[in-house]
Amino acid sequence: MWYAIEGYDGDDVLAQRLEARPAHVERLVALRDAGRLLLAGPCPKIDAEDPGPAGFSGSLVVAEFDSLEAARAWADADPYVAAGVYVRVEVRPFRRVLP
């Protein structure tokens, strides 16, 4: 089943985000390579493709897991969690309709 994983950034965490990004992206690439990633990306804090020093408000990942518990475990192990970037993570079942 698909799951939406939403991570919410804390205040002033851009430096931590940038430092943890390679490890974060590596996990997403592994999901993609396994055919289990629908989409992933950050949410800029401002209405701009590149928010610069304004940073990001969080991220969204939609990926396939065997269960809600497995999706939560994957989300809990995210490098952004370990680095203190995310102050909250929500994991919900997602029903893909389009495309």
Side-chain angles (χ1 to χ4, degrees):
M1 179 161 187
W2 295 102
Y3 295 90
I5 301 169
E6 295 177 272
Y8 297 87
D9 286 20
D11 294 328
D12 301 316
V13 295
L14 184 56
Q16 294 98 303
R17 178 182 262 275
L18 295 174
E19 185 175 327
R21 186 175 189 276
H24 170 79
V25 171
E26 183 178 324
R27 297 175 81 233
L28 295 170
V29 168
L31 282 178
R32 181 201 65 197
D33 291 351
R36 297 174 41 210
L37 182 66
L38 183 61
L39 66 89
C43 301
K45 273 191 181 177
I46 61 173
D47 189 14
E49 181 74 20
D50 179 358
F56 300 90
S57 61
S59 302
L60 172 65
V61 174
V62 179
E64 190 174 32
F65 293 92
D66 291 334
S67 66
L68 180 58
E69 293 76 21
R72 284 186 176 143
W74 187 89
D76 288 344
D78 194 291
Y80 284 171
V81 172
V85 174
Y86 292 157
V87 294
R88 185 173 97 243
V89 177
E90 294 183 9
V91 181
R92 298 178 290 162
F94 179 82
R95 184 169 168 246
R96 182 178 179 182
V97 175
L98 293 172

